Amino acid sequence: MSASTFVDRMRTRQKKASTLEDFLPGLSRRLPDGVRSVVNQMFGLWASLGFLRYLIAGALLASIALPLGPSKDEVLVRTGFFALAALGLNVVVGLAGLLDLGYVAFFMIGAYTVGLMTESSAPVHPLILDAWFVLPLAVAIAMITGIILGTPTLRLRGDYLAIVTLGFHEITRQTAKNLGVVNGSRGIFAIPAPDFTIPGTSITVDFGPLNPELYWFVLVVFIVLALFMISRLQDSRIGRSWEAIREDEVAAASMGIPVVKMKLYAFAIGASTSGLAGWALATKVGFINPNTFPLLSSILVLCAVVIGGIGSSLGALVGAAIVFGLPEMLRELGTNEILGFDVQTGRIAIFGLLLVLLMIFRPGGFISSTRRRAELGGGGADIAEESVTPVLVE
Amino acid sequence: MKRSRSTVLMASLAALALVAAACGGGEEDGDTATGGGGGGCTWEIGTIGALSGDLATVGGPIAEGIRYGVEQANEQMDLACELTLNEQDSQGAEDQAPPLAQTLVQSENLVAVVGPYFSGETAAVGPTFEDAGVPFLTPSATNPDLSTNGWTNFFRLVGTDAQQGEEAATYMTEVEGLSNIVVMHDNSEYGKPLADTVASTLGDSAATVIALNPEETDHSAELSKALNEDPDGIFFGGYQPEFSEILKQGTEQGLDVVYVSGDGSKAPELSQDPSAEGSIVLCPCDDPAVSTNEEANQFAEDFESAVGEPPGTYATEGYDGIQLVATALQEGGYDGDTPIEEIRTGIQEYVANNTYEGLSKTYEFDETGELGQVSIFAYQTSSEGATGFEQLGLVSELAGQ
Amino acid sequence: MDCNTGAFPNLFVTGLILGMLYALIALGYTMVYGVLKLINFAHDAIFMIGAASIFYLFGVWFGLNEPTGGVVLVSLIAVGFLVSGLASGGSAVLLERLAYRPLRRRGAARLSFLIAAVGASFFITYLFQQDFLLGTSEHNFPGFMATESALTIIGAQVNNRRVLAVLTAVALFLILDFFVNKTRSGRSIRAVAQDIDAARLMGVNVDRVVALTFFVGGFFGGIAGFLYGMVFSKVAWNLGFFPGIKAFTAAVLGGIGNVRGALLGGVTLGLVENLSTLCIGAEWKNPIAFSVLVLVLIFRPTGILGEGLSAR
């Protein structure tokens, strides 16, 4: 072990012991010292659990499904697809600082891979595989598409990337609409749901439409895996490179960080997570067409990431619950309108407003790391004015 | 700075409160759902469709027909239990429908479903109903692929796009005498197959097939291509908003031809713009308010006095669907003690094996759940008509003259 | 591939007209980008507000749905330009004041601006989609100007509404070009575009210049909304979405931040879009338009004429 990796490791250990101050500084300041120290001790305890934390988080997430009952589990599963997607987008937007407005295009590519390669109603099947065996293919193809799109475009300035990805989403969707091999806008029906025979027994777990909670368990496994991988990445050399690029791209490049390559990693990880979510959606719903993946979904996943807290995996999950779960829950309760805003479509207006307000008042989102907040909040060189010579203005 | 921190705190707390309220409320809702139904004896008919949102203009009239059907069935039929309606609003989106279908099949009084209204959502929820053994009768989903899934509980109360397309071609060549027709469509799961069937049935009379993007407003490129064919007719497969745009922009570009569209364009909004006057809309539905059938006219009057507006497109099919289920319940002789699974199976068997004389047509299904015989009506857009249309008659009869 | 050259004249003329409208919308993107280096994603909503304001004032309030002529028509059009321009220009200034200025003050990162702009766009658009505003259905544009065929260019019929749109667009471009290059306010805009800090040190009131830029871009966007609504006889909550993306593409194509580039880019895009349908199905129109965008950005990110209000 070289000295530098050792230092890196030590830094990593130190960073993990978060405090309440990191997440909710306002709340932390208002709490009496005693309460704050108890909470911070709990944070410390949590951090010391190591890998066990992921198992506990998984068990907690999985247990949500049990008291709800199938119809609400469907809502949960739908939220789960997008929570998974939000985790991936968070790597792209939050960790690497790249604004991707066409993220759901990769979701779509993952889903269509499943549609084409399982025994579905698609007119052409390059391969016919079991739903489980398509999983790595869906992830890989989404990732490859991400790399193909990213290689030329990641050299562009950030705001151009936003518009290119937006265009890419539209190209993908329209192409799927026009191509006969994916049955155009009629889409692909009868995508088989996966099943699972417990080894050594004859018990078969069927992930069919009547057992949505089983699907939720599958999603929880994916979410926990993604959480684990992302956290490992964040603490790795790659993660620190992203941090450096986000803070100052020019400085990072001059320090010898391969900027485009690192951005490409983030893009590829995001795309593959999205592809995984697409696999889940296609096998669960069993039916996909181009309209299943509107541009709006890309924007809503972005809303989830931003509202939860840019750069925070936990935030992405909370954001997905607010953006995708909450409106469905309200509708389940029979609330279709709030102050004249339709719950389904009006939420987009409300989330849009929330995006603006958050950027102004709390750029890190509801749950955020101190470090990320500092970056978004100020110090950016591009459009800064007051930072230079505020005294001379007035 | 101070202000911003307190704002943040309040916003966070508000969000937490919202989440807590949603979760707490969710549990309560679950309790009432499991405890519901006790005491009196009721049978529930479910319906899923666009009751609000963008597509409510299409879904609303169907839902009205269904509500009226339940009301009438309770009043006029001798049923052992009271019929109630369990309405679920999907806003027409296939990704929103599956949870609602779950809600329906969990209900212990659910005997059958009349819905969903659109093809996409029907494809998405079909497996749920099929697995649960709940018969579902769609009043308006016309994608031909739906009946190829092997669902035994699926029944379609209207003709498919394929059947409609063939008759549309017959209408244009034989009734209107057109010989050079440009076929356009909106590239949707509904419009494209319809237009393709029309074009293939037309054969040499179809000049070209042109797709347009329904999300855009400007169709000048597509219409320029159409103009170049010097057509005498244009068929459009798609929905009313785009058909309106084609009518407006087409007449402006000098396309002075016969415009024909399918049931997707049969919405009262079509007649609002003067450019639509005289255009033809074909529909496998008998619009009772302007029908030549007197019984249907009577129904339209009763409906209007009860509901407050004339029955819209596919309202009759929704009504017939309810009546058909109610008839199956009556003929089966079930009562409040019959197990719900037995009733569901009984309805499925009754609908599959019997011929029912409905208001808009005779319902007789083949083994895939399709109607054996369909009737397509031709309408002329007219601001004078009660629903924005005047009925010209059955296409088969018009062509036979 | 079956190329259909007979449709060329019609496609050329309609593509040209469409391109002029794109160019007019592109101005809003280009002005703001030139000064702040910010993509104002909310400009599509600002554009829609222009059309909506006319729908409310002329259609709902005054009920001007019967064709008029002569002086009445001319004055109605003039009032229409003013109202739609002020409604959109005002909204753009408000947007800048409420959403972007606090971010500028704090020197926020670029990502924050972009996210705020996307948020603002969706907020305004979906606000108008609610039932208390435009709702989900499409409305007819007030029919105070009858449509009649005005002239025939190389065999293509062009109606009076489209002629009005093209003439207005040309006039507005001449005015703007003069404004940016020859007036005092134009000079301060160019100064801020070139170097925001230097301009401030030289005594330019940066906030006022930024507000002015948003107002001018919004004003032109509003008039574009008015013309777009009238040409296609339609007002709807999502009127701005596709024209917005296309106009942005046009701005990048011509060289974002460059007023003349917006005109060139708009017309080029309109023609590419329509003429591409000569040989390929019209359903490929949008994938082609967006592929052009992606290719231009990869191979010539500064567009045809290069970037910058100041570069000249």
Side-chain angles (χ1 to χ4, degrees):
Chain A
M1 184 188 285
S2 72
S4 72
T5 48
F6 175 71
V7 172
D8 285 344
R9 278 210 171 173
M10 289 310 293
R11 259 220 307 264
T12 311
R13 284 270 172 275
Q14 275 171 357
K15 218 177 80 187
K16 271 201 178 148
S18 312
T19 59
L20 182 62
E21 171 73 16
D22 285 345
F23 293 101
L24 296 164
L27 182 67
S28 159
R29 211 163 292 119
R30 277 168 181 76
L31 287 177
D33 283 348
V35 179
R36 189 165 59 226
S37 82
V38 168
V39 174
N40 282 339
Q41 268 173 17
M42 281 163 66
F43 271 105
L45 190 68
W46 178 246
S48 68
L49 287 176
F51 185 73
L52 206 57
R53 288 180 303 168
Y54 295 98
L55 297 182
I56 296 173
L60 284 174
L61 275 174
S63 66
I64 302 176
L66 298 174
L68 289 179
S71 68
K72 289 189 189 61
D73 282 346
E74 282 278 353
V75 175
L76 198 63
V77 169
R78 266 181 57 70
T79 310
F81 302 143
F82 291 103
L84 197 55
L87 277 179
L89 184 63
N90 185 45
V91 172
V92 182
V93 178
L95 301 186
L98 307 165
L99 186 58
D100 183 349
L101 292 182
Y103 185 66
V104 169
F106 303 115
F107 201 105
M108 184 170 174
I109 287 166
Y112 267 90
T113 307
V114 182
L116 286 176
M117 298 196 181
T118 54
E119 199 157 4
S120 67
S121 78
V124 179
H125 296 281
L127 284 171
I128 292 189
L129 296 172
D130 183 76
W132 292 113
F133 289 112
V134 184
L135 197 157
L137 280 176
V139 173
I141 291 177
M143 186 193 268
I144 291 167
T145 324
I147 292 171
I148 293 173
L149 177 74
T151 308
T153 50
L154 286 171
R155 291 166 206 280
L156 298 173
R157 264 203 310 253
D159 32 10
Y160 279 176
L161 181 71
I163 209 87
V164 166
T165 47
L166 192 78
F168 175 67
H169 186 155
E170 206 45 36
I171 294 174
T172 314
R173 205 169 66 89
Q174 295 286 347
T175 305
K177 263 190 161 187
N178 295 342
L179 284 182
V181 290
V182 293
N183 207 16
S185 38
R186 284 158 93 171
I188 300 174
F189 293 77
I191 299 169
D195 52 24
F196 181 68
T197 309
I198 296 168
T201 65
S202 59
I203 305 166
T204 302
V205 185
D206 175 24
F207 296 91
L210 290 182
N211 310 314
E213 71 280 359
L214 293 178
Y215 241 93
W216 172 245
F217 299 147
V218 175
L219 281 171
V220 166
V221 171
F222 289 155
I223 288 173
V224 169
L225 272 177
L227 278 175
F228 176 67
M229 274 177 50
I230 291 167
S231 123
R232 299 300 297 168
L233 270 174
Q234 245 177 311
D235 296 336
S236 73
R237 197 168 284 279
I238 298 175
R240 286 193 305 280
S241 305
W242 287 337
E243 211 169 277
I245 294 170
R246 227 165 51 203
E247 276 175 24
D248 193 333
E249 199 174 318
V250 179
S254 60
M255 295 294 283
I257 293 173
V259 171
V260 174
K261 196 170 129 195
M262 288 299 159
K263 284 183 175 177
L264 204 54
Y265 283 164
F267 215 64
I269 289 165
S272 51
T273 317
S274 197
L276 179 63
W279 174 88
L281 183 136
T283 52
K284 169 70 186 80
V285 179
F287 164 69
I288 47 170
N289 77 0
N291 288 342
T292 317
F293 311 94
L295 184 69
L296 203 58
S297 299
S298 283
I299 303 295
L300 285 174
V301 176
L302 179 72
C303 286
V305 168
V306 175
I307 289 170
I310 302 181
S312 149
S313 289
L314 178 63
L317 296 184
V318 173
I322 295 175
V323 171
F324 296 96
L326 190 60
E328 299 272 353
M329 281 296 176
L330 286 173
R331 247 161 34 113
E332 284 268 315
L333 297 175
T335 317
N336 278 317
E337 256 191 22
I338 295 174
L339 302 173
F341 283 85
D342 180 89
V343 166
Q344 269 304 316
T345 57
R347 69 175 167 159
I348 301 157
I350 293 165
F351 293 143
L353 183 63
L354 211 52
L355 245 50
V356 179
L357 293 178
L358 280 170
M359 283 303 113
I360 298 174
F361 296 111
R362 195 181 159 84
F366 286 126
I367 296 172
S368 66
S369 63
T370 325
R371 184 186 297 251
R372 195 74 187 99
R373 194 162 51 238
E375 284 164 27
L376 285 163
D382 285 328
I383 314 176
E385 330 170 1
E386 302 299 296
S387 56
V388 189
T389 42
V391 189
L392 289 173
V393 186
E394 254 70 53
Chain B
M1 275 321 263
K2 224 172 201 167
R3 193 190 50 181
S4 81
R5 282 208 190 95
S6 59
T7 317
V8 169
L9 183 72
M10 277 168 54
S12 327
L13 288 178
L16 281 174
L18 263 176
V19 175
C23 298
E27 277 156 27
E28 263 168 45
D29 194 50
D31 288 344
T32 50
T34 47
C41 135
T42 54
W43 285 326
E44 215 170 65
I45 299 184
T47 185
I48 295 185
L51 307 177
S52 69
D54 281 7
L55 297 162
T57 45
V58 185
I62 307 174
E64 287 294 358
I66 288 173
R67 286 175 203 139
Y68 185 66
V70 171
E71 214 173 279
Q72 292 295 306
N74 278 328
E75 266 177 37
Q76 294 176 354
M77 287 179 141
D78 184 26
L79 296 171
C81 296
E82 197 196 346
L83 282 186
T84 58
L85 191 60
N86 188 342
E87 290 188 356
Q88 300 289 337
D89 179 10
S90 67
Q91 303 202 330
E94 57 260 15
D95 54 342
Q96 289 185 33
L100 308 175
Q102 280 291 341
T103 311
L104 285 180
V105 299
Q106 296 304 317
S107 165
E108 47 196 45
N109 294 319
L110 185 86
V111 294
V113 171
V114 177
Y117 303 165
F118 296 123
S119 299
E121 49 186 0
T122 309
V125 303
T128 308
F129 291 138
E130 185 65 19
D131 276 20
V134 176
F136 58 115
L137 300 76
T138 175
S140 52
T142 48
N143 187 333
D145 290 350
L146 288 172
S147 57
T148 61
N149 283 302
W151 298 330
T152 53
N153 286 296
F154 171 73
F155 300 99
R156 195 197 314 259
L157 302 167
V158 290
T160 65
D161 298 336
Q163 294 161 322
Q164 196 187 141
E166 284 164 18
E167 298 245 352
T170 312
Y171 176 84
M172 287 187 287
T173 50
E174 291 181 22
V175 183
E176 295 282 345
L178 306 174
S179 59
N180 190 28
I181 299 157
V182 168
V183 179
M184 303 182 80
H185 63 82
D186 64 354
N187 216 1
S188 72
E189 76 269 25
Y190 157 71
K192 186 171 187 296
L194 177 59
D196 286 344
T197 319
V198 169
S200 65
T201 318
L202 281 174
D204 290 342
S205 303
T208 182
V209 179
I210 301 172
L212 55 83
N213 183 352
E215 288 145 352
E216 285 202 83
T217 309
D218 173 59
H219 306 303
S220 58
E222 294 84 348
L223 290 165
S224 296
K225 286 187 87 173
L227 193 60
N228 185 50
E229 302 291 336
D230 194 20
D232 52 9
I234 286 183
F235 177 83
F236 175 66
Y239 298 99
Q240 173 266 326
E242 285 71 50
F243 190 44
S244 289
E245 283 171 7
I246 287 181
L247 287 162
K248 281 180 206 165
Q249 294 174 30
T251 43
E252 278 176 22
Q253 282 200 25
L255 270 168
D256 197 11
V257 299
V258 179
Y259 290 87
V260 182
S261 185
D263 59 335
S265 298
K266 196 179 169 302
E269 287 81 4
L270 185 64
S271 63
Q272 279 172 8
D273 195 78
S275 61
E277 201 75 13
S279 59
I280 304 293
V281 170
L282 301 169
C283 185
C285 58
D286 184 9
D287 184 349
V290 295
S291 174
T292 48
N293 175 349
E294 277 175 24
E295 202 186 329
N297 296 152
Q298 185 58 46
F299 167 78
E301 268 174 42
D302 296 345
F303 185 96
E304 189 164 357
S305 64
V307 177
E309 56 191 67
T313 305
Y314 294 128
T316 335
E317 277 71 14
Y319 174 86
D320 277 348
I322 297 288
Q323 297 290 318
L324 176 51
V325 171
T327 311
L329 285 168
Q330 194 176 31
E331 297 294 316
Y334 311 111
D335 57 37
D337 298 327
T338 319
I340 205 73
E341 288 77 17
E342 192 186 321
I343 302 185
R344 290 174 180 174
T345 322
I347 293 177
Q348 190 272 337
E349 280 167 6
Y350 182 88
V351 175
N353 300 323
N354 288 280
T355 305
Y356 173 72
E357 210 41 65
L359 186 69
S360 68
K361 56 179 103 62
T362 305
Y363 294 92
E364 188 175 5
F365 298 96
D366 64 15
E367 65 279 7
T368 61
E370 297 282 16
L371 286 175
Q373 201 185 0
V374 293
S375 30
I376 312 280
F377 293 87
Y379 296 88
Q380 185 161 38
T381 315
S382 157
S383 47
E384 309 279 305
T387 49
F389 295 97
E390 275 166 13
Q391 195 179 64
L392 299 175
L394 269 171
V395 173
S396 52
E397 283 172 17
L398 290 169
Q401 278 167 10
Chain C
M1 205 178 280
D2 122 69
C3 285
N4 189 342
T5 45
F8 182 84
N10 247 305
L11 287 172
F12 185 81
V13 172
T14 51
L16 204 63
I17 297 168
L18 186 65
M20 295 299 277
L21 286 170
Y22 287 161
L24 214 48
I25 310 167
L27 277 178
Y29 288 105
T30 244
M31 297 278 297
V32 169
Y33 191 90
V35 169
L36 286 184
K37 303 283 175 290
L38 160 73
I39 297 178
N40 182 13
F41 274 107
H43 189 62
D44 64 338
I46 300 287
F47 160 83
M48 179 267 297
I49 289 177
S53 67
I54 299 300
F55 168 73
Y56 281 114
L57 185 74
F58 287 5
V60 177
W61 201 2
F62 288 115
L64 297 170
N65 289 316
E66 294 307 313
T68 53
V71 186
V72 182
L73 180 62
V74 173
S75 45
L76 278 179
I77 292 172
V79 171
F81 284 160
L82 200 65
V83 168
S84 56
L86 287 177
S88 290
S91 318
V93 172
L94 207 63
L95 174 74
E96 196 278 323
R97 181 74 192 78
L98 297 178
Y100 301 147
R101 194 180 292 181
L103 293 175
R104 252 178 337 114
R105 279 279 149 79
R106 208 183 53 220
R110 193 176 212 123
L111 188 61
S112 306
F113 276 88
L114 287 172
I115 291 172
V118 172
S121 167
F122 278 80
F123 169 61
I124 301 174
T125 307
Y126 280 87
L127 187 68
F128 272 81
Q129 193 224 37
Q130 300 306 303
D131 286 337
F132 50 78
L133 286 170
L134 289 175
T136 50
S137 53
E138 294 179 358
H139 305 276
N140 279 335
F141 194 82
F144 55 87
M145 184 172 179
T147 43
E148 52 201 49
S149 189
L151 53 130
T152 310
I153 308 168
I154 47 172
Q157 274 187 46
V158 183
N159 72 33
N160 51 350
R161 290 180 177 190
R162 286 176 198 237
V163 172
L164 174 72
V166 171
L167 292 180
T168 314
V170 171
L172 289 178
F173 264 96
L174 292 176
I175 294 171
L176 189 70
D177 205 53
F178 175 80
F179 173 78
V180 171
N181 290 319
K182 296 280 163 15
T183 64
R184 206 181 141 75
S185 303
R187 205 164 62 210
S188 54
I189 290 181
R190 278 184 293 139
V192 174
Q194 202 161 38
D195 189 332
I196 206 162
D197 295 317
R200 176 179 292 124
L201 292 171
M202 301 305 283
V204 175
N205 185 337
V206 172
D207 278 344
R208 239 186 61 198
V209 170
V210 170
L212 178 71
T213 310
F214 269 86
F215 181 78
V216 173
F219 192 87
F220 285 48
I223 294 180
F226 170 73
L227 292 170
Y228 197 89
M230 192 158 80
V231 165
F232 300 113
S233 185
K234 167 183 158 182
V235 179
W237 64 277
N238 58 359
L239 191 72
F241 185 70
F242 268 98
I245 305 186
K246 297 288 180 62
F248 178 79
T249 307
V252 173
L253 196 61
I256 195 161
N258 183 322
V259 172
R260 290 173 194 175
L263 181 63
L264 185 67
V267 171
T268 311
L269 186 70
L271 287 177
V272 166
E273 235 182 63
N274 273 16
L275 292 179
S276 72
T277 63
L278 274 175
C279 294
I280 311 171
E283 66 271 29
W284 292 101
K285 208 169 66 170
N286 275 347
I288 287 173
F290 293 123
S291 303
V292 167
L293 170 73
V294 174
L295 292 177
V296 167
L297 281 178
I298 292 170
F299 293 109
R300 193 174 159 75
T302 51
I304 304 172
L305 291 187
E307 283 188 6
L309 280 170
S310 52
R312 198 168 302 268

